[in-house]
Amino acid sequence: MNFPLKPGMLLGTATAATQIEGGDQNNSWYDWYRRGYIKDNASPETATEHLKRWREDLELMSGMGIQCCRFSVEWGRVEPEDGVFDEQAIARCREEIQAMAEQGIKPLLTLHHFSNPMWLEEKGAFAVRDNITYFLRYVHKMVESLGDLVSEYITINEPNVYAFNGYLDGSWPPGKRNPLDLARVLTNLTAAHIEAYGLIRKTRLKMGYSDTKVGFANHLCSFSPKDPKNPLHRFWASRAEELFQGNLTRAMCTGHAAFPIGRHPSIVPGRYCDFHGINYYTRSTVSGPANGAAEGVPVNSLGWEIYPQGIVEVCRKAYQLLPRPIYITENGTCGADAFRARYIAEHLEALCGSGLPVERYYHRGFCDCWEWTEGTSARFGLVHVEYPSQRRTVKPSGEFYRQVIAQGGVSEELYRQYCGVSYPTAREDAV
C-alpha cells in the first residue's frame, strides 16, 4: 500500500462531551447510568476527566499533529435549567476553543450529540414537536457565544441512531419501544436540523461572518443482501437502507420527506447542508428483518464487519443526492490496537482513490472514552486511557496516525511497520 492524501485533506479526531468531560449529572445519559443500563457500570460523571485534563489532552493532540477536531457541547452543562445559561461553563468552552486555535487545530462544533439536559428529557425531548423551540434557543445562544471562534457546525449527531435506539429498540434513553414515537422523533429532528441550519447561518451573518458551514453527522451503513441472487434478500437490504438512513438523509439534506419522516411546516424543499458529515463504521448483511455481520468476515470486538469499500459506497450515494464536500465526521474501530492502523489505512486508501471531494477525516476517537451503553469496556482511541488513574499513553495506532499526517499519506514502509496484523473474523452467521 502506498498512496498520498487528497490535496488539502485534513486529518483529525472526533468525540462527544458526554464521553470525555465528566463532572456532570444533569443529562439523560447519567440518568441511564443511574438506572443500571451501562454494561460495565462505569459512570459518565467520571468519563476521562477531560474537563480537568483538557490542556493535557490538547498538548497530546498537538504533538500528534492533529489538524482538526470535532467535539460537542454538553447541553445540560451550559443550560442546567430551562432558559438559564451558565456563563462560566460557556466561558470554559471558549477557553478550550481558543487554545485549540492557538495550536493550529480547526474546530468543528457539534451542538447535539445524543445527550439531553434532564429538564428537556422530562418534557419529552424530541418526541414533542414544541420542544424544538428549546433546541433552537440553545443553538442561538451557542452561536452567539462561540461564533467568533467557530465557523463550522454539526447541528445533530446521528439522528437515526438516537431515534432507533431510544424509541424503537429501547436500548438507549429514554428506553421507548414505539414505532409512532420513532416517526415523531425522526420528523422533529429533521425539522430541528432544517431550522437550525438557517438560524446558524443567519446568526453568524449578523455577527459579520460569511464563512459559515453547517451540516449534520449522518450515520451511514453499507447494506448488502446475504445472497445477491435471492430477491427476498435484495428486498430486505433495500428496505433496511431506506428506513434506517435513506429517507432521513433525503429529508435532512433536501427537505423531501418520506416514511418514516412525517409532515412538519419546516420540512420543505431546499438545500440544508454545506457539507456531508458522514459517520461510517460497518456493513450490515441482510437476509430478513434482522441483520448483522456475515459468517467469516473480518469484525471488530463489537462484532461489526470491517468493510473499507463501504465508506466509498455511502459517500457516493450522499454526493449523488446533493453534490457537497464530504467530511468523514467519524470512522474508527473498537478492540485491540493491533489492527487499528490497518483499519485507518484501508479506509483512507478507499477514500483517497474514490474521486469524491473528501476534505476531512475525523478518526473516532482521540483517546479511549466512555462509550455509551458499553461504558469504558469498548476502546476506540488512538491514545490509551488507564482507568482509574486516567493516565494517557499514545498507542502504536496513534503514532501511525501522526506519521500519516506528517508524511501526507501512507508509504509502503509505514504500512509494513504498523499494518501487518490480521483482523479477527465472525465465527457465527448473525443474519
Side-chain angles (χ1 to χ4, degrees), residues 26 33 73 90 114 162 202 209-210 220 228 277 297 357 361 400 421:
N26 182 31
Y33 153 77
V73 173
I90 295 172
F114 295 150
Y162 172 90
K202 180 180 178 181
Y209 301 105
S210 59
L220 297 178
V297 299
Y361 175 88
F400 168 78
V421 178

Side-chain angles (χ1 to χ4, degrees), residues 13-17 19-20 69-72 110 113 363-366 369:
T13 59
T15 191
Q19 295 184 286
I20 60 171
C69 179
R70 179 187 166 214
F71 60 99
S72 75
T110 303
H113 198 129
H363 180 270
R364 176 174 165 270
F366 172 65
C369 62

